[in-house]
Amino acid sequence: MAASMRDIKESIRSKNKTMQITKAMKMVSASKLRRSQEQATAARPYAEKMKDVIMSIASGSSNINHPMMVSRPVKKTGYLVISSDRGLAGGYNSNLLRLMTNTVKERHASNDDYVVFSIGRKALDFFKKRNTPLISSIVGLSDSPQFSDVKAIASQAVNFYAEEKFDELYIVYNEFVNPVVQRPVVKRLLPLASDELEGVSNKTPYEFEPSEEEVLADLLPRYAETLIYSALLDAKASEFAARMTAMTSATDNATAIIERLTLEFNRARQAAITQEIAEIVGGVAALS
């Protein structure tokens, strides 16, 4: 019985240490989530203003024929997948990569029909194990990524589309809905959807130098790269929210296990004390 009590006590001590770690990780993730949300919010006005200018030009000109705004027959598709570098985030990565796998199975008959750009170690390891046609990857991004951190891979993905190495580009990431809900999505990035022009009026008095077409040709790649960066910030917020939720669940589970083990320990101790009392009483009775 004493050995059993020692085992229970050691298990309680171990679970307490685990609970302290998960509780600390929960608090760190909550802090990072707040900063990530602020960073994502701060980046939106730039992208929105750029979109305003682009759509104003496109809706007011009949000579716009930029490849990023024109659909063409799809022979090959590009995917840019944003995952995390680390785990301990619940289903954050597994749900995303499952969606990517199902999307590829539904849309493509062979690996020759698509290519992949990946951000995050989890996606990189996943694609390497499955011999996915991987073009480029980035790992080791900071918790507060800057545009310069993803400029290279974003430019490469956009340029490959412009050079017609593939005919459409999708971005796959976890969309931040709220701190409890993160939704894996597949969104078309290029060509830019024509329905975005609907309802846009050319009332803003812009004067362009050089021509509207040249300005648009310079802005469109930057806008596409900005959308990738915005998706990355959204994915980072989703990652921290998922990790915070996972660590909250882990802390609650550890607390429940500790309570159960404590009750078990108290019962074992009570049984041991009762047995000792019975042995003492029996010994006294035998002597008398």
Side-chain angles (χ1 to χ4, degrees), residues 39 145-152 154-155 222 225-227 229:
Q39 189 177 11
Q146 302 301 313
F147 180 70
S148 57
D149 297 333
V150 293
K151 177 71 165 66
S155 297
R222 297 188 188 188
E225 293 167 7
T226 300
L227 292 180
Y229 178 59

Side-chain angles (χ1 to χ4, degrees), residues 20 22 39 46 49 56 240:
Q20 290 172 5
T22 56
Q39 189 177 11
Y46 176 75
K49 191 61 179 178
S56 180
F240 299 137

Side-chain angles (χ1 to χ4, degrees), residues 39-184:
Q39 189 177 11
T41 301
R44 286 187 189 127
Y46 176 75
E48 290 173 356
K49 191 61 179 178
M50 190 179 292
K51 177 182 177 181
D52 179 48
V53 175
I54 290 172
M55 295 309 169
S56 180
I57 297 173
S59 63
S61 175
S62 59
N63 299 321
I64 301 302
N65 194 30
H66 195 280
M68 290 188 182
M69 302 188 74
V70 178
S71 298
R72 54 181 183 249
V74 178
K75 298 177 182 177
K76 180 172 285 192
T77 302
Y79 295 94
L80 194 151
V81 183
I82 303 175
S83 71
S84 69
D85 287 318
R86 293 168 294 178
L88 298 177
Y92 176 84
N93 290 298
S94 58
N95 292 338
L96 177 76
L97 296 173
R98 186 183 304 114
L99 174 63
M100 176 63 187
T101 300
N102 293 337
T103 300
V104 168
K105 286 181 179 179
E106 292 172 3
R107 295 182 179 178
H108 309 293
S110 72
N111 286 356
D112 296 331
D113 296 337
Y114 69 98
V115 293
V116 174
F117 303 83
S118 76
I119 297 177
R121 187 170 300 280
K122 292 297 182 180
L124 176 61
D125 293 343
F126 180 85
F127 293 135
K128 278 186 173 180
K129 289 179 182 177
R130 289 159 179 78
N131 297 317
T132 302
L134 191 64
I135 297 296
S136 182
S137 64
I138 290 181
V139 297
L141 289 178
S142 70
D143 291 331
S144 299
Q146 302 301 313
F147 180 70
S148 57
D149 297 333
V150 293
K151 177 71 165 66
I153 194 170
S155 297
Q156 187 179 26
V158 172
N159 289 338
F160 270 37
Y161 174 83
E163 295 166 3
E164 299 188 11
K165 293 184 178 179
F166 46 76
D167 305 297
E168 57 182 356
L169 176 62
Y170 287 86
I171 187 165
V172 186
Y173 69 103
N174 278 290
E175 184 178 50
F176 181 81
V177 179
N178 57 53
V180 179
V181 180
Q182 303 81 44
R183 182 171 53 222

